[in-house]
Amino acid sequence: MASSDPVILLENVYTAYEGADRPTLTDISLSVGKGEFVIIGGPNGAGKTTLLETINGMLPLTHGKAVVCGHDVRGNGVGVRRRVGYLLQNFAFDPLTPFTVEEVVLMGRFGTIGLFRKPGKEDHEAAKRALQLLGIEDLASRPIGQLSGGQQQKVLLAQSLARDPDVLLLDEPFSNLDMFAREAINCLLSRLVASGIAVIIVSHAFDDLPDCRVRVVVMHDGRISLDRECLPADVGLLIRNAGSASLNA
Amino acid sequence: MLEFIIQNNIVCHAVEAMLFASIACAVLGVIITQVQISSIGFTMAHAAFAGAAVGMFLSLNVTICAIVAGVCVAFLIGPLSDKARVSPDTALGLLFGISMAVAIFFIAYMQTIGQGFSAMGLLFGDVISLYREEIYLLAIICVVSVVFVVVLYKEITGIIFNKRIAESVGIQVKPVYYALLFVIALTVALCLPIIGGLLIYVWLVTPAAIALQFCYRLSAMFVVAPIVAAAISVSGALAGLEYSLPVAPLTAVLFSIVFIAAVFLSPKRRVTFRKS
Ligand SMILES: Nc1ncnc2c1ncn2[C@@H]1O[C@H](COP(=O)(O)OP(=O)(O)O)[C@@H](O)[C@H]1O
Ligand SMILES: [Mg+2]
């Protein structure tokens, strides 16, 4: 599948939450190359969010090996997260949150800038580009807490893009977006994929996917039950079939 | 340091001490209120108080005992809530209870053996009997807390925004967070003798709460809170010494009055009223 060196390589990975008596991810092996578009499906609680956070090192893996963007996730999670954009699931901000959209997007580069340094000109320019990519330049000076859920989601997506990532992890990014925003973001994602970024997206919306080759990964109960390439039009059917197959099993 | 304005030595020292303590507490207070770790600040203040009481009883260095106790609490909260399987909130409640019990036990015991006077200073603060070295220490902690915020401003804003998002961006959240707790513990312990264990919390939280009434941006809060705190604290020290009133309690009352006035004058409230 991956033509060149994989940007994400998981081998027999197990991840357990602190205090849990069994792992949430069981024996996951996954290899994703540059410019691949991976859509992850599966029921609630299957471990999709856990998989994304294992990839970017926010959750420590208990067994196995994970190398992302050339860094060992176990030893250098911070290094991984500086190359990986991650849009967290279900975020909403209090109306009084004292941050403007511009500040939130610039924050996407804070890890890359490094300790004891201030954001420079190129950081502000990258933040501006990210705002433009999502078409939300007009929101730049608005407090993030006073935006709608969909607008907030776009701001956070702009934040993950601001550090020019090699990998983009999106956890249900469409949950608050209207039809037009979905189309716009799908169009953006296909451009990103074409430029060589690996995109992994957890989603239940299969109707309007980017027009590129898609790889479908279905998870059940912490394991990968299906992993194959297909056409965008077949994604919904594949995931539904995988779901009923595991119900019958 | 301010001798050229204030001739009276006692008044001069009191004003200097209040100035430095209030700036340090207010700057950190903005972080404490915005990261919503007020209960951690609260518990650390009381632990430092307990440490000071124990130190005083054992004739050890009071400041060092206060620092040790405050730092211990900061680093106990996480493990305690993991291992004892209680929520961080409950862990703080437990530590707060233990701190107060220890502090009150030793202060009461010192009353019975006739050391009550200095123990009362720990409760309500004492700006009269200050040594030169204590003022220098307060000046240093004031500079340390300001420099801490300036140097780690990016990381601190990330943590204030959202710890998980800050982590996902590649900010080293844990080291910065623990450094923050450490600086808070240091500040609380050093300010304790002049403000008092029962009142220091007012200095940590009220200036930020006042600034929040007027500021929409975080950077503005970091400027407004220390200025307001310094103005109120210096006024409180001058007024208290002029009219022979206890300085720290008087200043705490001033803080509360200004806070109530700020709530009524806040433009934020006016905007909300117009909408509904
Ligand atoms: N913080 C946590 N602590 C313990 N268990 C968790 C935690 N978060 C999720 N889990 C468990 O891990 C499993 C997978 O969760 P998650 O990855 O969020 O699923 P999905 O994103 O596929 O809906 C669930 O069974 C859930 O109960
Ligand atoms: Mg999820």
Side-chain angles (χ1 to χ4, degrees):
Chain A
M1 282 163 210
S3 48
S4 55
D5 268 355
V7 275
I8 299 176
L9 182 69
L10 304 186
E11 281 176 5
N12 312 105
V13 164
Y14 290 72
T15 302
Y17 283 97
E18 235 169 82
D21 53 358
R22 55 186 225 108
T24 297
L25 294 186
T26 309
D27 200 16
I28 299 277
S29 294
L30 183 71
S31 158
V32 179
K34 279 176 96 175
E36 264 199 276
F37 186 88
V38 182
I39 175 158
I40 301 187
N44 293 326
K48 305 181 294 294
T49 300
T50 310
L51 176 61
L52 295 191
E53 298 199 354
T54 302
I55 290 173
N56 85 348
M58 282 171 70
L59 286 172
L61 51 150
T62 30
H63 295 283
K65 182 180 150 196
V67 179
V68 176
C69 300
H71 297 291
D72 186 341
V73 174
R74 209 192 293 260
N76 188 5
V78 169
V80 169
R81 290 191 283 282
R82 289 174 179 172
R83 303 297 329 136
V84 175
Y86 174 39
L87 178 66
L88 285 91
Q89 187 176 8
N90 286 337
F91 246 93
F93 296 95
D94 186 274
L96 285 179
T97 309
F99 290 92
T100 62
V101 167
E102 212 171 6
E103 290 168 330
V104 171
V105 174
L106 184 63
M107 197 179 287
R109 297 188 63 88
F110 280 6
T112 342
I113 296 170
L115 278 176
F116 311 125
R117 297 238 202 101
K118 280 192 170 169
K121 194 162 163 239
E122 71 271 36
D123 299 307
H124 288 278
E125 275 165 7
K128 205 167 160 193
R129 272 201 307 279
L131 284 170
Q132 282 164 350
L133 275 178
L134 284 142
I136 50 172
E137 309 99 294
D138 51 324
L139 301 178
S141 53
R142 295 268 300 274
I144 186 169
Q146 294 173 9
L147 302 179
S148 76
Q151 288 172 317
Q152 291 184 2
Q153 227 162 6
K154 286 189 196 168
V155 174
L156 291 182
L157 183 53
Q159 186 194 55
S160 356
L161 288 176
R163 57 183 169 287
D164 300 318
D166 298 331
V167 173
L168 198 53
L169 308 174
L170 308 173
D171 203 349
E172 310 205 9
F174 297 132
S175 52
N176 284 320
L177 296 181
D178 62 43
M179 206 174 77
F180 304 106
R182 275 187 209 189
E183 270 173 22
I185 288 185
N186 273 321
C187 180
L188 170 63
L189 291 181
S190 50
R191 270 193 289 151
L192 293 174
V193 166
S195 76
I197 296 180
V199 176
I200 300 190
I201 176 168
V202 173
S203 178
H204 302 293
F206 317 122
D207 16 327
D208 37 19
L209 286 168
D211 200 17
C212 58
R213 283 204 71 76
V214 183
R215 179 166 156 203
V216 175
V217 171
V218 180
M219 295 188 66
H220 278 103
D221 203 15
R223 290 170 190 273
I224 292 178
S225 59
L226 178 102
D227 179 354
R228 68 191 248 197
E229 281 194 49
C230 69
L231 293 170
D234 302 332
V235 172
L237 194 65
L238 260 178
I239 293 185
R240 255 175 239 122
N241 283 349
S244 52
S246 82
L247 281 183
N248 296 338
Chain B
M1 284 160 246
L2 294 174
E3 290 85 356
F4 57 93
I5 318 178
I6 306 167
Q7 268 82 37
N8 183 318
N9 227 341
I10 292 181
V11 178
C12 181
H13 284 185
V15 167
E16 285 169 356
M18 276 303 208
L19 183 67
F20 297 136
S22 62
I23 292 174
C25 288
V27 166
L28 297 175
V30 172
I31 309 179
I32 290 175
T33 50
Q34 288 295 317
V35 187
Q36 300 181 358
I37 49 169
S38 296
S39 46
I40 295 184
F42 188 65
T43 310
M44 280 205 290
H46 289 87
F49 174 47
V54 172
M56 186 173 275
F57 177 72
L58 298 174
S59 310
L60 298 171
N61 184 313
V62 171
T63 307
I64 290 179
C65 292
I67 293 174
V68 170
V71 172
C72 282
V73 163
F75 290 85
L76 267 178
I77 295 157
L80 186 64
S81 47
D82 286 346
K83 296 289 174 306
R85 300 233 152 209
V86 292
S87 72
D89 205 42
T90 313
L92 287 166
L94 290 169
L95 288 169
F96 169 70
I98 295 166
S99 304
M100 281 315 272
V102 169
I104 291 170
F105 177 86
F106 282 100
I107 286 177
Y109 190 66
M110 279 187 277
Q111 300 272 9
T112 63
I113 58 172
Q115 290 182 1
F117 178 73
S118 42
M120 290 307 276
L122 279 187
L123 277 172
F124 303 115
D126 172 13
V127 290
I128 312 266
S129 45
L130 285 171
Y131 294 109
R132 197 106 281 279
E133 294 73 37
E134 286 179 277
I135 306 219
Y136 288 140
L137 268 182
L138 285 169
I140 291 171
I141 194 66
C142 176
V143 172
V144 166
S145 57
V146 171
V147 168
F148 177 78
V149 171
V150 171
V151 167
L152 293 173
Y153 193 70
K154 278 195 327 304
E155 287 72 19
I156 291 170
T157 53
I159 291 174
I160 287 176
F161 181 60
N162 184 287
K163 269 205 237 162
R164 275 170 60 74
I165 290 182
E167 199 185 351
S168 80
V169 156
I171 290 174
Q172 282 158 311
V173 171
K174 265 204 178 137
V176 173
Y177 184 69
Y178 278 105
L180 168 68
L181 292 184
F182 182 71
V183 174
I184 295 173
L186 270 186
T187 306
V188 164
L190 290 174
C191 296
L192 195 70
I194 62 161
I195 296 174
L198 292 186
L199 294 175
I200 190 150
Y201 196 61
V202 175
W203 267 254
L204 283 176
V205 171
T206 325
I210 293 169
L212 186 62
Q213 303 305 314
F214 299 102
C215 303
Y216 289 90
R217 304 186 70 141
L218 197 65
S219 46
M221 288 181 67
F222 276 113
V223 177
V224 171
I227 290 177
V228 168
I232 296 175
S233 299
V234 169
S235 317
L238 291 173
L241 295 174
E242 178 72 24
Y243 302 107
S244 308
L245 296 167
V247 167
L250 175 69
T251 313
V253 172
L254 279 182
F255 266 122
S256 313
I257 292 171
V258 174
F259 173 69
I260 292 167
V263 169
F264 281 107
L265 293 174
S266 166
K268 293 189 180 178
R269 276 169 59 97
R270 257 175 270 145
V271 172
T272 328
F273 279 150
R274 235 182 272 145
K275 272 187 194 156
S276 56

